[in-house]
Amino acid sequence: MLQTSRPRPAPYGAACSNCSQTKCRCVRQGSGRCERCQRLDKECRPVCGRRNLRAAPKKTQLEEKIDGLVSLLTSTGQHTSIATESPAQIGGSLSVSNGVIPIHINPDGTSNTSSLPPPTFPRDIDTAPGAELDVKLSAGEQEECLRIFQTRKLKHFPLIYIPSTSSVHDMRTEKPFVWLCVMAVSTRSTSQQAFLCNLVRRELAEKMIYSLEKSLDLLFGILICIFWGNFQVQRRPFLSLYTQFAISLVFDLGLNKPAPKDADTMSDYRFHLSQVQPTRTMEGRRAVLASFVASSVVSLRLGRIDALRWTEHMDECLEKLTEAPEWAGDSLLALLVRSQLISEKASRSPWHNTQSGGGEAAATVPAEFYRKVLLAQLHELKQKIPPALLENDVLLLNMYDTELRIHEAALSPCAVILSESCSFYRLESLHACLVAANSWFEVFFTIPPAEYVGFTFATFSQLGSSAGALYKLSILEDGAWDRVIVRRTADILAIADRLAQNLEQVRTLAGLECDGGEEDIFTRVAGKIKTIMRKWAEKISVDFTGLEFPISTAQGVEGSNPVGDWAFRPPDDAWWTDILEPCAW
């Protein structure tokens, strides 16, 4: 019996064009058409050329990609001129004019983009990246801004040491970003404030986000914005963001930890150059301590972020600042940090969270134990105050605010539950809140209104806490609490009225120039306080025209509780945005 030979598929690379395109097996019958083309009645044509079984060199592939890119840019007309060198030359480059982007080709086929130019940001400022900044202030105005910062602002929080002999040129050369921020928070003109505000944001974006710069210059500049940036004219919150920037720089610079002992030996094994300095300086110690205070104040007042975690090395920095101060501001800074540490402990303690409604269960240790420990620490701190600072207004304000922070949980509605078993302890705390808040305002009103321009965000937040505490004490409904004594000791409406009058005088006494079409921050805050006073009057049932207040438990209009739980719950964002965060940094 005769056996017919079975058709065999075409060898690799010899399939017809139709089978090759569809990735099908090409089976030929003699010299005619293949089985598939015959079945589909298609023309069976061989593939033009043979497949190149050897891949092109990497360099050739890269040259082809570059040629394609050049052709694409030329055809779309995105750039007016394109100059190329021969890709065959090792180290050739592709350059595109009108925003030149150099691409340097290495022998291994990789590209080096380390020399890429900085990006172009949208600008309403006629300065180019890297050029000397034009702050549109004369030399005399710059010197005046520096002196205002040294004499009026640093006295309220001495976070940086600027010798009295330092000039604007020295600041601009050694700490350019600090110099820019000093100009922004110290100028008297609202229009200049708005301009410098945009300039600070642009420089911060270029240095920290694009260039990934990490330096004490950046950190101090950000801290200056946090503490004094609330005096600007535009309305956009920035405190939480800038505080996170500051905390990030503290970590990157290693300021919260001891200096590494093996920095030199480990440098050969790193992919990136370490930003941590091998030694610790007084400047770095001030920076990390000021960052803690800034983050703690923002955390306690706004409640949106956590404070910088305290470390043993920060304890060492605090001791060094206390024992060997370089200038008078170091001693004050150390005391302010210690006071804020106690406030942080009081606010984060279990009994405080439980009584203010933040805890799930009652604390196992009685609240009085915590209070006694914190009060003992505060008393010890007061004993360590040097004679030169005993009458320091800023320090006294912080001490009274810390004492209020220790006792303020008694103002919470949740504390009423505990009143049956420890009513006397709660009464002591309520009276301590009254004394601390009233003492805070007594010290505050000794400060001339012209000095208000030096107040930090911390001072304004303390003002809100003290006012909120007095308001809560004035309307507290408890059979054991005498509201008449409260109003005779500290009339919150009289205090608010005096505060508004003082704030309205700041513009004239401090020489502020409102040339940008908007009110200054102090006038705006005074207006807010007057609005709040009207609502408080409804709640307290006070006749504005009378000299005496009635003893009444009237509740006023429904829902008229403008302050709410100020003393133990962060105010809402709208209130802080309108009053304390008006700047679009």
Side-chain angles (χ1 to χ4, degrees):
M1 184 175 181
L2 297 176
Q3 296 181 352
T4 59
S5 60
R6 297 181 59 184
R8 296 183 178 180
Y12 182 79
C16 68
S17 59
N18 293 328
C19 294
S20 178
Q21 291 178 0
T22 56
K23 305 297 183 183
C24 294
R25 185 173 60 176
C26 185
V27 180
R28 293 189 174 276
Q29 296 180 347
S31 59
R33 293 187 295 179
C34 66
E35 291 182 351
R36 184 173 179 278
C37 290
Q38 186 174 4
R39 185 176 70 254
L40 300 175
D41 194 19
K42 290 185 177 182
E43 182 181 1
C44 187
R45 294 179 301 176
V47 179
C48 297
R50 290 183 64 86
R51 178 179 298 181
N52 186 8
L53 301 181
R54 178 178 297 178
K58 188 175 182 180
K59 182 178 178 181
T60 304
Q61 295 179 13
L62 186 58
E63 291 175 0
E64 294 175 354
K65 291 181 180 180
I66 293 177
D67 291 339
L69 179 61
V70 173
S71 301
L72 178 62
L73 293 177
T74 304
S75 60
T76 55
Q78 293 180 355
H79 299 275
T80 56
S81 64
I82 299 177
T84 60
E85 295 178 1
S86 173
Q89 300 176 2
I90 297 177
S93 64
L94 167 66
S95 60
V96 182
S97 60
N98 293 338
V100 179
I101 304 179
I103 302 178
H104 298 279
I105 305 169
N106 300 322
D108 58 355
T110 61
S111 60
N112 180 15
T113 58
S114 60
S115 58
L116 286 176
T120 302
F121 291 88
R123 301 173 185 273
D124 53 358
I125 304 166
D126 54 354
T127 53
E132 185 173 342
L133 295 176
D134 180 13
V135 295
K136 300 188 183 302
L137 295 173
S138 65
E141 290 174 330
Q142 293 183 38
E143 290 290 347
E144 181 188 22
C145 289
L146 179 58
R147 299 308 167 215
I148 290 176
F149 185 78
Q150 289 176 305
T151 58
R152 290 192 175 184
K153 297 188 181 296
L154 285 182
K155 65 185 294 185
H156 290 274
F157 193 76
L159 59 87
I160 187 173
Y161 175 41
I162 303 178
S164 58
T165 57
S166 296
S167 64
V168 170
H169 180 269
D170 297 334
M171 286 282 297
R172 193 166 188 169
T173 303
E174 299 172 4
K175 294 181 174 63
F177 190 67
V178 168
W179 162 80
L180 176 61
C181 295
V182 167
M183 298 296 108
V185 302
S186 303
T187 180
R188 301 175 187 268
S189 169
T190 55
S191 61
Q192 289 175 341
Q193 287 174 346
F195 170 78
L196 294 173
C197 160
N198 293 331
L199 194 55
V200 167
R201 284 189 300 155
R202 193 205 76 183
E203 288 300 305
L204 182 60
E206 290 187 3
K207 290 177 178 292
M208 190 167 183
I209 305 302
Y210 176 74
S211 300
L212 301 178
E213 179 180 329
K214 300 173 179 62
S215 64
L216 286 175
D217 179 36
L218 268 183
L219 179 55
F220 277 119
I222 293 173
L223 291 174
I224 289 172
C225 295
I226 293 173
F227 281 104
W228 290 283
N230 52 288
F231 296 111
Q232 307 309 304
V233 295
Q234 303 181 36
R235 299 181 178 90
R236 187 177 302 168
F238 70 94
L239 286 175
S240 297
L241 176 64
Y242 277 35
T243 303
Q244 295 287 21
F245 281 166
I247 294 175
S248 174
L249 286 174
V250 168
F251 289 150
D252 290 336
L253 296 173
L255 299 178
N256 60 331
K257 298 183 295 184
K261 298 179 180 180
D262 56 349
D264 295 334
T265 59
M266 294 297 295
S267 60
D268 296 336
Y269 302 96
R270 297 181 182 274
F271 288 100
H272 304 286
L273 182 63
S274 175
Q275 303 292 332
V276 179
Q277 298 298 321
T279 58
R280 290 290 174 259
T281 63
M282 293 296 287
E283 194 174 46
R285 296 185 181 100
R286 295 187 194 99
V288 68
L289 295 177
S291 298
F292 166 76
V293 175
S295 62
S296 177
V297 171
V298 173
S299 176
L300 295 180
R301 307 305 177 183
L302 301 184
R304 292 197 289 252
I305 63 173
D306 293 329
L308 176 65
R309 188 169 63 88
W310 189 262
T311 63
E312 293 183 3
H313 177 68
M314 294 165 69
D315 264 327
E316 298 175 2
C317 294
L318 188 55
E319 291 297 330
K320 188 70 174 179
L321 213 64
T322 304
E323 297 172 357
E326 287 186 348
W327 70 303
D330 286 342
S331 300
L332 177 59
L333 177 60
L335 291 170
L336 294 178
V337 173
R338 295 185 188 278
S339 176
Q340 190 62 36
L341 267 173
I342 299 176
S343 295
E344 184 74 19
K345 293 177 183 178
S347 300
R348 307 303 181 191
S349 58
W351 61 270
H352 187 281
N353 292 334
T354 300
Q355 294 191 26
S356 62
E360 298 180 356
T364 57
V365 180
E368 291 70 31
F369 286 22
Y370 289 97
R371 291 195 188 99
K372 288 181 178 179
V373 171
L374 294 174
L375 288 173
Q377 294 179 2
L378 181 60
H379 178 73
E380 182 182 358
L381 177 59
K382 292 179 179 179
Q383 299 300 317
K384 295 181 179 179
I385 298 177
L389 295 176
L390 285 175
E391 301 298 326
N392 184 277
D393 296 335
V394 179
L395 186 57
L396 290 175
L397 291 176
N398 276 267
M399 293 297 175
Y400 289 129
D401 180 74
T402 301
E403 187 172 355
L404 176 61
R405 177 67 63 174
I406 294 174
H407 292 285
E408 69 178 0
L411 293 167
S412 169
C414 300
V416 178
I417 301 175
L418 306 176
S419 61
E420 296 180 359
S421 59
C422 51
S423 58
F424 291 111
Y425 291 113
R426 182 169 185 247
L427 283 176
E428 289 178 0
S429 292
L430 290 174
H431 183 261
C433 288
L434 174 62
V435 173
N438 185 52
S439 300
W440 192 96
F441 276 108
E442 287 180 349
V443 175
F444 180 85
F445 286 129
T446 63
I447 303 175
E451 297 296 324
Y452 290 7
V453 293
F455 285 164
T456 65
F457 169 77
T459 305
F460 269 106
S461 62
Q462 292 171 15
L463 187 155
S465 296
S466 297
L470 290 180
Y471 171 75
K472 298 296 292 187
L473 292 169
S474 299
I475 64 172
L476 181 63
E477 296 183 2
D478 192 310
W481 184 247
D482 193 340
R483 290 181 291 179
V484 177
I485 295 179
V486 175
R487 297 170 191 172
R488 288 175 178 171
T489 304
D491 186 355
I492 181 59
L493 294 180
I495 289 175
D497 182 62
R498 183 179 178 184
L499 175 62
Q501 293 180 11
N502 284 6
L503 290 173
E504 289 176 337
Q505 300 177 35
V506 174
R507 174 179 175 179
T508 302
L509 298 178
L512 302 182
E513 302 173 4
C514 299
D515 49 4
E518 293 193 28
E519 293 180 331
D520 61 280
I521 178 64
F522 301 98
T523 304
R524 189 161 60 246
V525 173
K528 296 287 183 180
I529 291 175
K530 291 181 178 179
T531 302
I532 293 175
M533 282 177 57
R534 299 187 188 99
K535 296 181 179 180
W536 280 354
E538 296 173 357
K539 185 70 174 179
I540 303 176
S541 300
V542 174
D543 183 4
F544 280 104
T545 61
L547 299 178
E548 297 181 357
F549 49 80
I551 303 173
S552 172
T553 57
Q555 297 300 309
V557 297
E558 181 180 358
S560 61
N561 187 3
V563 180
D565 297 335
W566 244 6
F568 34 81
R569 187 184 68 186
D572 56 42
D573 290 347
W575 195 91
W576 283 111
T577 299
D578 287 343
I579 293 185
L580 298 182
E581 295 191 87
C583 175
W585 286 84

